[in-house]
């Protein structure tokens, strides 16, 4: 039962352009959403999050949008940089205990 | 500051052998602890989580078990490994109350 879905396994964008990563979820009880970034052979690192009471959260080049009615969230990276190339995981949590992750999207930013 | 230690970084085990992966957290008390697995080409699958000593929630019936003998120690075990147990195992902790998970550096397990 995959409660968090990332339907795009990969995304390739040009340096300087916008990267948009998408995520859908099925559990309406999720109240907190996060994005993690992961490099090979390393643990994921926290990138940005959003509470279910908000629809947008911005941190520098990263913005997360939440559409609760559609059960959809997205991560925008503007402008994209080659160092952003990694696997991005969407996560959702029904506080205070569990956290579910999507399958990940591999982002490649080309110079 | 809080830190999480996970070892070993790499492990090669024959099919049918036992497994013990250990994870410890420093600098905090009564954290929530988690074991995830990333299989080749797949996402992060939640295996077990614990909200306290001796309290384990299992998400996926499988060949693995978890134990929390101390507040900041979380152990992943198997009596007999299968080929399908190969993957990248991640321990994580979460301060309570808080929203973020913090991950260890992971263990790459290859079962041959």
């Amino acid at each position: 039962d995959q409660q968090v879905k990332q339907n795009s396994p990969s995304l390739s964008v040009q340096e300087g352009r916008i990267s948009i990563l998408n995520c859908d979820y099925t559990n309406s009880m999720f109240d907190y959403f996060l994005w993690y970034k992961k490099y090979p052979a390393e643990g994921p690192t926290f990138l940005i999050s959003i509470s279910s009471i908000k629809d947008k959260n911005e941190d520098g080049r990263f913005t997360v949008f939440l559409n609760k009615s559609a059960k959809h969230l997205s991560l925008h990276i503007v402008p994209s940089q080659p160092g952003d190339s990694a696997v991005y995981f969407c996560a959702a949590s029904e506080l205070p205990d569990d956290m579910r992750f999507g399958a990940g999207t591999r982002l490649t930013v080309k110079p | 500051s809080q830190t999480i230690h996970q070892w070993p970084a790499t492990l090669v085990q024959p099919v049918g052998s036992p497994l013990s992966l250990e994870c410890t957290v420093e600098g905090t008390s009564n954290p929530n602890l988690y074991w995830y697995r990333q299989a080749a080409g797949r996402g992060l699958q939640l295996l077990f989580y614990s909200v306290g000593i001796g309290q384990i929630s299992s998400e996926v019936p499988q060949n693995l078990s978890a134990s929390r003998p101390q507040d900041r120690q979380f152990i992943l075990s198997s009596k007999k490994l299968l080929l399908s147990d190969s993957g990248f195992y991640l321990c994580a902790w979460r301060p309570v109350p808080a929203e973020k998970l913090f991950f260890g550096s992971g263990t790459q397990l290859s079962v041959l």
Side-chain angles (χ1 to χ4, degrees):
Chain A
D1 177 22
Q2 203 170 357
Q3 299 183 44
V4 180
K5 299 179 182 179
Q6 293 176 259
N7 293 319
S8 298
S10 63
L11 174 68
S12 180
V13 300
Q14 207 67 34
E15 181 179 6
R17 306 294 293 269
I18 184 172
S19 296
I20 300 177
L21 296 92
N22 294 301
C23 178
D24 298 294
Y25 62 96
T26 58
N27 186 350
S28 58
M29 299 301 292
F30 286 141
D31 45 20
Y32 205 76
F33 304 89
L34 310 92
W35 285 94
Y36 280 79
K37 180 179 179 180
K38 185 182 182 300
Y39 295 112
E42 295 182 7
T45 55
F46 170 77
L47 192 59
I48 192 170
S49 62
I50 187 168
S51 164
S52 60
I53 63 173
K54 296 184 177 181
D55 55 19
K56 177 183 176 181
N57 188 27
E58 193 171 356
D59 183 3
R61 297 186 296 114
F62 303 91
T63 303
V64 55
F65 296 92
L66 175 63
N67 183 333
K68 286 193 67 178
S69 60
K71 295 191 178 67
H72 177 84
L73 68 155
S74 61
L75 174 67
H76 293 209
I77 306 174
V78 183
S80 300
Q81 300 173 355
D84 296 330
S85 297
V87 176
Y88 289 79
F89 288 98
C90 168
S93 179
E94 185 181 350
L95 293 172
D97 296 331
D98 72 350
M99 186 175 294
R100 310 285 171 161
F101 285 80
T105 296
R106 180 177 302 279
L107 173 65
T108 303
V109 181
K110 298 179 179 179
Chain B
S1 63
Q2 301 92 351
T3 55
I4 179 170
H5 302 280
Q6 184 182 345
W7 67 93
T10 306
L11 190 60
V12 181
Q13 292 285 96
V15 170
S17 64
L19 172 73
S20 181
L21 300 180
E22 189 166 342
C23 172
T24 60
V25 181
E26 295 178 357
T28 187
S29 60
N30 198 31
N32 283 2
L33 297 172
Y34 303 79
W35 278 110
Y36 287 87
R37 177 174 62 196
Q38 182 184 18
R42 301 186 65 182
L44 295 175
Q45 180 186 33
L46 177 61
L47 302 176
F48 302 95
Y49 70 92
S50 171
V51 300
I53 296 174
Q55 301 178 62
I56 309 294
S57 295
S58 174
E59 289 296 311
V60 182
Q62 58 203 331
N63 189 40
L64 303 170
S65 62
S67 62
R68 185 171 178 174
Q70 301 180 37
D71 180 45
R72 291 168 290 171
Q73 183 185 29
F74 206 22
I75 298 172
L76 182 69
S77 303
S78 174
K79 293 182 179 178
K80 289 185 178 182
L81 284 169
L82 306 173
L83 288 173
S84 58
D85 292 324
S86 294
F88 191 58
Y89 288 80
L90 288 156
C91 180
W93 73 281
R94 180 188 220 171
V96 181
E99 298 83 13
K100 288 186 286 188
L101 280 185
F102 299 90
F103 284 88
S105 54
T107 296
Q108 183 63 53
L109 172 65
S110 298
V111 182
L112 306 176

